């Protein structure tokens, strides 16, 4: 698949930003667990917060292929930053765009797409991950308000975000049709950041456990009708998975570039290790697999842009890209030998950052469920 001249221009602009403003700082953000506010402001100014949101709602008015390109470039600069931006785009902005009322779009989508706010998505719970229909968090209607109670787990930007979309049970007896989606500003009393997870990687983005304790929000913050929450969540995850696939590719691409540079400089047995077939073939293999994953991802994005079903293709893209990316990072480490395993070089960090792409927004096994169903 080819990018259009406009998509190439967008790629080049975000790539330049990522090379100058993300990549040089990523190791320090990782070490110091820093959320890079300044870099986020720069990415927001570039239109990265609401890539597929129409311009009348504050977005860049582009398509999913452009979003995939943007996320690959951000991830090539810093994995954790790409995750926060990915979640903000999809599921968060995507849900408000597709299911939000006009008033909700004006109140929440516009600032989220412009980057004045950062969004979080609260589906997963401590005891409920893949089986997303088994949620326990409840939303009880009381007059003109809903009162939310429960615990949400592994929430990207749960602390640094200003608004969260929360999926909660409104009618237990109705099962999958008994869940609803709500907009919860994170400064609402009862929205409690219970803890920040101590993660293997992606230290530049916060992952929080959120306790909702008597958290009262107005009825107008419900998205869509009561009972539509599960469908809203699953439909948004479809697009989100294209984003995670693209991120995986971006992170792995950077690791591969480091490995190629190293292999061309490092000498053993009288010549650069690049000239040893064992090393060169390993890197060639990694580059080929990465390009295949990119093409699968772009294909899923193009289907979505064409308004065609892409549930299976999005699942395939996430499965293949995230698993390929870990393999490519491992090859990069192998190429650097001992130096690949220490923090003097970036490949161990990228390997840590990319590992979670096989887990969040649906594990590899969940992607296989979706693919198998479509066969
Ligand atoms: C494992 C699952 C795939 C199982 O799904 P189900 O079998 O329970 O769901 P269905 O019965 O197929 O669908 C229910 C309902 O939704 C509609 N639906 C489903 N997919 C779509 C779609 N892509 N677009 C539109 N609508 C859709 C479907 O038609 C049904 O509607 P009706 O009832 O017929 O009207 C599923 O549970 C699953 O995906 N599990 C994984 C959950 C997951 O990814 N969790 C991670 C969450 S985010 C996270 O990790 C935190 C990181 S971050 O901060 O984002």
């Amino acid at each position: 698949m080819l990018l259009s001249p406009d998509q190439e221009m967008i790629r080049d602009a975000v790539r330049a930003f990522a090379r100058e403003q993300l990549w040089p700082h990523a190791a320090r953000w990782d070490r110091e667990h820093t959320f890079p506010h300044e870099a986020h402001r720069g990415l927001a100014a570039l239109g990265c917060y609401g890539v597929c949101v129409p311009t009348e709602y504050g977005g860049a008015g582009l398509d999913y292929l452009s979003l995939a390109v943007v996320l690959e470039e951000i991830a090539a600069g810093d994995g954790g930053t790409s995750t926060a931006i990915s979640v903000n785009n999809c599921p968060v902005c995507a849900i408000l765009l597709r299911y939000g009322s006009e008033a909700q779009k004006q109140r929440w989508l516009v600032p989220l797409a412009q980057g004045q706010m950062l969004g979080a998505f609260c589906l997963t719970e401590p005891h409920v991950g893949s089986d997303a229909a088994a949620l326990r968090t409840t939303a009880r209607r009381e007059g003109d308000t809903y009162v939310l109670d429960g615990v949400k787990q592994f929430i990207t930007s749960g602390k640094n975000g200003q608004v969260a979309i929360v999926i909660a049970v409104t009618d237990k007896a109705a099962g999958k049709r008994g869940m609803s989606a709500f907009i919860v500003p994170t400064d609402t009393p009862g929205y409690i950041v219970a803890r920040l997870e101590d993660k293997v990687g992606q230290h530049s983005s916060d992952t929080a456990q959120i306790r909702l304790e008597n958290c009262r929000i107005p009825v107008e913050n419900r998205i869509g009708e009561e009972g539509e929450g599960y469908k809203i969540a699953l439909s948004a995850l479809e697009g989100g998975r294209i984003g995670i696939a693209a991120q995986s590719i971006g992170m792995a691409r950077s690791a591969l570039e480091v490995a190629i540079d190293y292999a061309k400089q490092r000498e053993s047995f009288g010549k650069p290790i690049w000239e040893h077939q064992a090393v060169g073939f390993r890197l060639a293999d990694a580059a080929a697999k990465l390009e295949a994953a990119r093409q699968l991802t772009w294909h899923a994005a193009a289907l979505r842009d064409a308004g065609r079903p892409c549930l299976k293709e999005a699942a395939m893209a996430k499965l293949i890209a995230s698993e390929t990316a870990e393999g490519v990072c491992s090859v990069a480490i192998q190429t650097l030998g001992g130096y690949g395993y220490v923090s003097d070089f970036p490949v161990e960090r990228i390997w840590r950052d990319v590992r979670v792409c096989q887990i969040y927004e649906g594990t590899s096994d969940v992607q296989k469920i979706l693919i198998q169903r479509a066969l």
Side-chain angles (χ1 to χ4, degrees):
M1 263 196 73
L2 294 176
L3 299 180
S4 70
D6 280 355
Q7 286 160 339
E8 285 182 356
M9 210 169 65
I10 293 155
R11 178 199 61 199
D12 293 346
V14 181
R15 181 175 292 177
F17 181 91
R19 284 194 174 147
E20 284 161 26
Q21 308 291 335
L22 303 179
W23 178 255
H25 309 293
R28 178 172 51 83
W29 296 338
D30 172 63
R31 210 169 39 247
E32 298 172 1
H33 293 235
T34 304
F35 183 87
H37 291 280
E38 186 63 35
H40 272 264
R41 276 192 285 277
L43 289 165
L46 277 175
C48 299
Y49 265 58
V51 175
C52 302
V53 176
T55 50
E56 66 260 36
Y57 293 120
L62 301 171
D63 53 14
Y64 268 79
L65 183 49
S66 303
L67 177 59
V69 168
V70 164
L71 289 172
E72 176 179 332
E73 296 307 326
I74 298 172
D78 178 53
T81 302
S82 71
T83 295
I85 303 279
S86 181
V87 171
N88 193 76
N89 274 279
C90 188
V92 176
C93 284
I95 287 178
L96 288 165
L97 182 63
R98 180 161 171 192
Y99 297 100
S101 65
E102 186 55 32
Q104 288 170 342
K105 286 178 184 160
Q106 295 299 340
R107 173 76 182 84
W108 305 106
L109 179 59
V110 171
L112 282 162
Q114 289 176 336
Q116 290 154 10
M117 286 182 174
L118 179 64
F121 176 61
C122 300
L123 176 66
T124 303
E125 300 184 352
H127 304 285
V128 180
S130 295
D131 182 11
L135 297 187
R136 297 180 190 173
T137 294
T138 55
R140 191 177 71 253
R141 176 101 187 227
E142 280 186 9
D144 287 343
T145 62
Y146 281 98
V147 181
L148 274 61
D149 284 285
V151 182
K152 293 292 180 179
Q153 184 72 20
F154 303 132
I155 306 305
T156 303
S157 307
K159 170 175 172 280
N160 286 304
Q162 288 72 41
V163 57
I165 292 181
V166 176
I167 311 296
V169 177
T170 38
D171 178 3
K172 195 170 183 327
K176 291 181 195 177
R177 294 186 179 196
M179 287 171 260
S180 307
F182 300 94
I183 300 164
V184 182
T186 59
D187 60 1
T188 309
Y191 179 101
I192 299 158
V193 180
R195 72 171 196 203
L196 289 175
E197 301 302 342
D198 184 12
K199 298 175 291 184
V200 167
Q202 299 217 1
H203 296 155
S204 60
S205 115
D206 65 289
T207 303
Q209 185 189 71
I210 304 299
R211 214 169 55 240
L212 298 162
E213 229 174 62
N214 212 21
C215 181
R216 191 177 292 271
I217 51 161
V219 164
E220 62 258 28
N221 281 22
R222 190 189 68 225
I223 304 170
E225 297 302 320
E226 268 199 17
E228 287 185 341
Y230 190 52
K231 188 170 77 178
I232 290 174
L234 294 195
S235 69
L237 283 169
E238 179 184 299
R241 286 165 185 156
I242 299 174
I244 305 297
Q247 277 185 261
S248 313
I249 294 160
M251 289 182 236
R253 190 187 87 203
S254 279
L256 184 60
E257 285 169 2
V258 170
I260 292 169
D261 282 351
Y262 182 89
K264 287 180 176 173
Q265 284 165 27
R266 171 80 179 192
E267 294 193 355
S268 75
F269 303 102
K271 56 183 179 183
I273 60 171
W274 173 255
E275 291 175 24
H276 294 299
Q277 198 177 64
V279 175
F281 274 18
R282 201 159 38 227
L283 292 169
D285 200 34
K289 287 179 177 158
L290 202 55
E291 184 58 32
R294 179 182 290 115
Q295 292 299 326
L296 194 52
T297 304
W298 287 4
H299 175 61
L303 283 176
R304 194 175 171 99
D305 290 332
R308 290 173 50 183
C310 67
L311 183 59
K312 179 184 73 182
E313 289 77 6
M316 286 178 169
K318 183 181 184 288
L319 172 69
I320 298 298
S322 62
E323 299 202 343
T324 299
E326 191 197 0
V328 170
C329 290
S330 184
V331 163
I333 289 174
Q334 198 67 22
T335 307
L336 272 72
Y339 289 114
Y341 200 62
V342 296
S343 60
D344 299 12
F345 285 86
V347 291
E348 62 80 30
R349 167 175 53 80
I350 301 173
W351 183 49
R352 288 187 283 107
D353 285 351
V354 89
R355 180 62 182 83
V356 72
C357 294
Q358 295 168 63
I359 300 171
Y360 59 18
E361 299 210 16
T363 63
S364 285
D365 290 330
V366 164
Q367 308 317 313
K368 288 177 193 171
I369 292 175
L370 293 167
I371 296 163
Q372 188 190 359
R373 281 180 179 181
L375 297 180

